[in-house]
Amino acid sequence: MTHTPMRARAEIDLAALRANVRALRARAAGAQLMAVVKSDAYGHGAVRCARAALDAGATWLGTATPEEALALRAAGFDGPLLCWLWTPGGPWREAVEAGIDVSVSGMWALEEVVAAARAVGRVARVQLKGDTGLGRNGCQPADWPELVRHALEARDAVRVTGLWSHLACADEPGHPSIAVQLAVFQDLVEYAEKAGVEPEVRHLANSPATLTLPATHFDLVRTGIAMYGVSPSPELGTPADFGLRPVMTLAASVALVKRVPEGHGVSYGHHYVTGGETNLGLIPVGYADGIPRHASGTGPVLVGGKWRRVAGRVAMDQFVVDLGADVVEAGDEAVLFGPGDRGEPTAEDWAQAAGTIAYEIVTRIGSRVPRVYVNEDPDS
């Protein structure tokens, strides 16, 4: 069976993802592992990645938006599932009926989920989130007693299944905020439990904390970016340092190769001008596919066995590389990033070229780039 070559593809190695989950479970051996599959599994495909993570021993799934959580339920995932980013009027009733754990950070949310639970005649699974110092979502410690009290008073409608928070600087080992947040979290948990809360899980650790801060592991660790084989911080180490392997490889077919003279401008604004007669290669992906325009002139690509840099500006659908005297043909493969073991750049290389983080590089790869899954069999 022959396959038509693709303009571009994001190859997702599910064997690598399963191995990463096993490596992360070993790092936090006393805790359960939540596979965070928000934002379509950081661009990797939520349904396929959720299944692979569960095959490898993850016991929870996590999403940001309720729509993401409901889509997983619709796809047949019926195990523990936490959703944490709610806005007023959100689909509380649907979430309660679907048995989704909903995160509550303030009284407005508690009131809405209580009303929804009573309307459908079910007890909602609620996790209370405290703001231990990140300053984003979560209940302020001063307001925690009120939130806990009202949750306990509404036992007919809600059951508090979890207590949790999120770290600000876990990717900076030794940062003073880590110890402060850990202490505040322990205080919030102690208060809630003394008041009568009996949580199934207490959790604080994200990917970097899972890898480097055992004191934060508690009952459950939430692994996002590390599960996809990307280091949460270059300062912490490479993926290989933690026994992880990047899951996504982004490649495209060279669309055109042509000979141009010295002094030829390349792409919008002519920010690149050829220094001599040369071969130009056209790579048919651009910022509409998630290739960062900020990487114009710097983004690395493996073409014809060598690293090239984006020549000139990244356009909406395409960019150019200068091939020099090398012979490359239309249809040859251009690898933008992958694990790096074939000499190709990594997502971290693109992050440095664009002045961002590798999370953004993989997550922003657009929907018109097909995901091609390999090694789907759990025995592989």
Side-chain angles (χ1 to χ4, degrees):
M1 180 178 175
T2 59
H3 296 277
T4 304
M6 294 182 180
R7 171 188 70 95
R9 70 184 186 282
E11 185 176 284
I12 309 300
D13 183 353
L14 295 177
L17 189 145
R18 291 190 296 270
N20 293 340
V21 169
R22 289 191 289 267
L24 291 162
R25 287 179 60 211
R27 287 262 173 181
Q32 298 181 64
L33 184 137
M34 175 187 290
V36 178
V37 291
K38 64 181 181 176
S39 190
D40 201 28
Y42 293 57
H44 294 68
V47 170
R48 301 301 239 298
C49 291
R51 188 171 295 125
L54 293 170
D55 286 341
T59 50
W60 283 76
L61 299 175
T63 72
T65 72
E67 292 76 17
E68 293 170 335
L70 289 167
L72 288 170
R73 282 288 191 253
F77 294 98
D78 56 5
L81 170 58
L82 173 65
C83 170
W84 52 77
L85 192 59
W86 289 85
T87 49
W92 297 104
R93 289 179 61 152
E94 293 91 332
V96 172
E97 289 180 317
I100 293 166
D101 281 52
V102 298
S103 180
V104 165
S105 294
M107 284 303 300
W108 75 262
L110 183 61
E111 289 164 2
E112 291 201 7
V113 71
V114 166
R118 288 174 176 159
V120 300
R122 286 191 59 167
V123 176
R125 292 175 58 90
V126 169
Q127 298 206 19
L128 303 182
K129 184 177 185 183
D131 180 3
T132 54
L134 178 59
R136 220 171 53 179
N137 214 346
C139 176
Q140 280 288 291
D143 300 322
W144 187 250
E146 179 191 28
L147 188 66
V148 169
R149 178 167 58 84
H150 280 87
L152 289 169
E153 287 173 354
R155 278 194 175 99
D156 65 302
V158 301
R159 178 156 61 92
V160 179
T161 56
L163 302 169
W164 74 294
S165 188
H166 196 43
L167 293 164
C169 303
D171 56 347
E172 301 177 48
H175 194 283
S177 70
I178 296 170
V180 172
Q181 284 196 257
L182 178 56
V184 172
F185 182 64
Q186 290 169 323
D187 288 344
L188 296 182
V189 169
E190 183 181 11
Y191 179 91
E193 291 181 339
K194 281 185 175 177
V197 173
E198 297 178 354
E200 296 173 15
V201 286
R202 301 158 298 166
H203 51 108
L204 180 63
N206 54 5
S207 282
T210 300
L211 292 169
T212 66
L213 298 167
T216 66
H217 290 172
F218 292 95
D219 304 308
L220 175 69
V221 296
R222 305 183 305 269
T223 55
I225 197 68
M227 190 172 80
Y228 306 102
V230 176
S231 173
S233 168
E235 291 76 27
L236 291 180
T238 67
D241 290 335
F242 297 111
L244 305 174
R245 179 177 174 80
V247 172
M248 181 188 292
T249 297
L250 181 66
S253 296
V254 176
L256 177 71
V257 178
K258 62 184 178 183
R259 192 85 176 154
V260 300
E262 179 181 357
H264 201 297
V266 177
S267 198
Y268 294 126
H270 284 182
H271 292 273
Y272 185 88
V273 176
T274 59
E277 189 178 3
T278 192
N279 295 321
L280 297 180
L282 185 66
I283 313 301
V285 288
Y287 58 76
D289 302 293
I291 309 306
R293 190 171 180 272
H294 272 69
S296 295
T298 57
V301 194
L302 182 71
V303 187
K306 293 182 185 176
W307 272 38
R308 326 284 175 168
R309 298 280 173 181
V310 175
R313 281 201 182 142
V314 173
M316 184 178 288
D317 313 299
Q318 53 199 288
F319 64 83
V320 176
V321 292
D322 190 335
L323 301 167
D326 294 337
V327 177
V328 172
E329 296 182 356
D332 286 355
E333 185 179 60
V335 182
L336 284 77
F337 61 80
D341 49 12
R342 293 187 299 149
E344 77 276 18
T346 65
E348 181 58 42
D349 292 319
W350 271 87
Q352 292 180 11
T356 185
I357 57 175
Y359 295 65
E360 185 179 355
I361 298 301
V362 294
T363 302
R364 69 187 295 164
I365 300 305
S367 59
R368 74 176 184 179
V369 177
R371 272 54 173 179
V372 177
Y373 295 90
V374 299
N375 299 323
E376 289 203 74
D377 182 356
D379 296 325
S380 63

